[in-house]
Amino acid sequence: MKRNFIVLLSLCLSIVFLNAQEKIKISHLPYIQALTDSTVSIIWTSNKDAIGWVELAPDDKTHFYQQERPKIFSGKYGFKNVGTVHQVDLKGLKPGTKYRYRVYNQEVLKHEGTSVQYGEYAATNVYREKPLTFSTPGPKSNVTFAVINDIHGKNDVMTSLIKQVDLENTDFIVFNGDMVDNLLSEEQMYNGFMDTAIKLFASEKPMYYSRGNHETRGPFATSYPKYFPTSSGELYYMFNQGDACFIVLDCGEDKPDSDIEYSGIVDMDAYRTEQAKWLEKAVSSPAYKNAKYKIIICHIPPVLGWHGMEDIRNKFVPILNKAGAQIMLSGHMHRHEILKPDQDINFPVIINSNVNLIKVNLDQNQGTFKIYNQDGKMIEEVVIGKKAIRH
């Protein structure tokens, strides 16, 4: 017994020693969140506690190392944040402008009183590789984006769908919920979809996320907002691009709060009531009322059936009907279906399959929503505009 204890102790000490010897590195590369015409948030992680910052440069012909670039630190309340999840909020950007950036970390070995001991640095490469870039939206009239949902950790499905998108000429991607089965840990989240998204586009192309009901499940679910910040500070929010206003709703769970699956840990009915109050204010804002296109994104569709669906239908739809919403993009059902406007829901609802992609183009004349399968074949189309809605 004593021998086994000694072996176990030696193993634990070896792990601690190896971890201490491991150099700081960027464990998950940066990605773009909450992009507006003048602000953006950049998120990444490190394997060690560290301070973090972004170096920003214009997209001109100069080498990144030509001069010292402005440093914008991850911090709040006058302190630089120390941790492994880093968020830098860039403000005062110029609309319609392309920027180059890199991210940095410096390990914090010890912090006692006002004394801080720092360690090594880690950074994205701008010496042998091109710096990462992003572009703020400008006042252009055309907006293009793509939507996927219900990937449930199937990176191969996400890859095949995203590769159909002309990323260079697409403004952003929407993740419309249930990108994993549940949220167990940071590594599981990244392995489930985010590392693939970063590799495909997310370091340079913005992604807007509508939380699905499966992202509410698991011990890591309460950490979700830290990785996907929004302009409102909530998981429901609004953003504008071109002549379009987008309202992103948080559907919550699909069953009653008392369901045995939730173990008494959720309070989604009250949350959706709170969200409806925010929605009433959002649709009365000039940003929404003056937009040519009014697009709603919500993972669970407002159909009759399960409790969550009907709560969304009862609490959100009357507000959206009155506010002239033109279309809702949903998922959740793992099948393709388009609901026509009727006396209860005054706008079409696209329920996107878990293996389909929606490509959207909003121009001066109309908004076109084309649904494609994994083989790249268009299976249906919805058009919205001033005169009519057809599909």
Side-chain angles (χ1 to χ4, degrees):
M1 188 67 142
K2 184 177 180 181
R3 182 184 176 188
N4 289 341
F5 175 76
I6 292 171
V7 170
L8 181 60
L9 180 61
S10 298
L11 181 61
C12 291
L13 290 172
S14 297
I15 293 171
V16 171
F17 177 76
L18 289 172
N19 185 57
Q21 292 295 104
E22 185 182 20
K23 289 186 176 182
I24 187 171
K25 64 181 180 181
I26 293 173
S27 49
H28 298 286
L29 290 170
Y31 55 96
I32 303 296
Q33 288 286 280
L35 179 70
T36 72
D37 62 358
S38 61
T39 62
V40 71
S41 294
I42 297 176
I43 318 294
W44 76 98
T45 66
S46 59
N47 66 326
K48 303 268 193 174
D49 282 343
I51 59 171
W53 66 91
V54 169
E55 291 186 352
L56 195 64
D59 186 40
D60 53 23
K61 300 298 182 181
T62 64
H63 194 279
F64 206 89
Y65 281 129
Q66 185 190 55
Q67 63 188 61
E68 184 178 0
R69 302 300 183 177
K71 295 179 174 64
I72 304 94
F73 286 88
S74 172
K76 200 168 186 180
Y77 310 120
F79 295 101
K80 297 175 184 176
N81 291 333
V82 178
T84 59
V85 181
H86 309 280
Q87 175 183 335
V88 171
D89 301 321
L90 305 179
K91 301 175 182 179
L93 304 174
K94 296 179 180 179
T97 303
K98 188 174 182 179
Y99 293 90
R100 296 178 293 165
Y101 77 97
R102 74 181 308 194
V103 303
Y104 256 101
N105 286 120
Q106 186 177 19
E107 185 178 0
V108 174
L109 299 170
K110 188 185 295 185
H111 185 181
E112 295 179 352
T114 56
S115 177
V116 181
Q117 182 182 347
Y118 294 100
E120 297 295 319
Y121 294 88
T124 49
N125 191 356
V126 296
Y127 180 62
R128 291 185 177 87
E129 299 176 12
K130 290 183 178 180
L132 297 169
T133 66
F134 68 87
S135 297
T136 54
K140 68 174 187 174
S141 56
N142 280 32
V143 177
T144 58
F145 65 98
V147 185
I148 60 173
N149 50 269
D150 297 280
I151 297 300
H152 289 278
K154 297 181 178 69
N155 282 294
D156 56 335
V157 175
M158 178 167 66
T159 299
S160 69
L161 293 174
I162 293 297
K163 284 190 173 179
Q164 293 185 38
V165 179
D166 179 7
L167 289 169
E168 186 175 348
N169 295 304
T170 298
D171 294 309
F172 57 88
I173 304 293
V174 174
F175 284 175
N176 202 359
D178 286 7
M179 298 302 290
V180 284
D181 288 329
N182 46 37
L183 288 170
L184 305 178
S185 68
E186 181 183 272
E187 282 305 304
Q188 179 254 357
M189 181 187 76
Y190 276 101
N191 291 337
F193 69 102
M194 271 310 299
D195 278 340
T196 298
I198 291 167
K199 181 181 178 181
L200 292 171
F201 70 90
S203 285
E204 300 191 314
K205 188 70 60 173
M207 172 260 295
Y208 297 92
Y209 206 145
S210 173
R211 186 174 70 157
N213 57 299
H214 279 266
E215 280 96 353
T216 69
R217 302 175 186 178
F220 195 67
T222 54
S223 298
Y224 170 96
K226 183 165 64 172
Y227 296 83
F228 303 102
T230 72
S231 56
S232 70
E234 303 288 349
L235 297 182
Y236 44 87
Y237 57 100
M238 180 173 69
F239 68 97
N240 289 74
Q241 191 148 157
D243 289 332
C245 181
F246 299 84
I247 289 182
V248 181
L249 298 172
D250 185 4
C251 63
E253 267 293 359
D254 56 1
K255 293 177 279 296
D257 290 341
S258 59
D259 190 272
I260 191 171
E261 185 169 2
Y262 308 139
S263 303
I265 202 66
V266 302
D267 192 17
M268 295 297 174
D269 284 356
Y271 176 62
R272 283 186 289 256
T273 298
E274 167 196 309
Q275 193 173 167
K277 293 177 182 177
W278 169 87
L279 181 59
E280 286 184 324
K281 294 180 181 178
V283 298
S284 65
S285 68
Y288 178 87
K289 294 174 75 172
N290 296 336
K292 178 181 177 66
Y293 295 105
K294 300 173 174 64
I295 298 169
I296 315 302
I297 299 168
C298 183
H299 172 73
I300 293 179
V303 297
L304 296 173
W306 291 30
H307 175 76
M309 299 173 180
E310 295 195 0
D311 206 38
I312 288 168
R313 185 185 181 97
N314 294 334
K315 291 176 179 175
F316 298 163
V317 168
I319 300 169
L320 296 173
N321 281 343
K322 186 177 178 181
Q326 293 168 297
I327 194 166
M328 178 181 282
L329 307 180
S330 296
H332 185 64
M333 308 295 285
H334 291 209
R335 68 171 187 265
H336 166 72
E337 186 177 358
I338 295 177
L339 308 179
K340 297 180 181 180
D342 59 27
Q343 61 182 5
D344 297 314
I345 304 176
N346 300 161
F347 46 86
V349 179
I350 298 178
I351 302 174
N352 192 44
S353 164
N354 57 324
V355 291
N356 287 350
L357 165 78
I358 307 175
K359 294 183 185 180
V360 184
N361 182 64
L362 309 173
D363 62 29
Q364 292 179 320
N365 299 313
Q366 62 187 25
T368 305
F369 299 74
K370 296 181 178 181
I371 300 96
Y372 295 84
N373 64 19
Q374 272 191 277
D375 297 324
K377 180 182 178 182
M378 192 183 82
I379 58 175
E380 199 158 3
E381 178 185 62
V382 176
V383 178
I384 62 173
K386 290 183 178 179
K387 294 183 179 179
I389 299 169
R390 71 175 190 271
H391 78 276

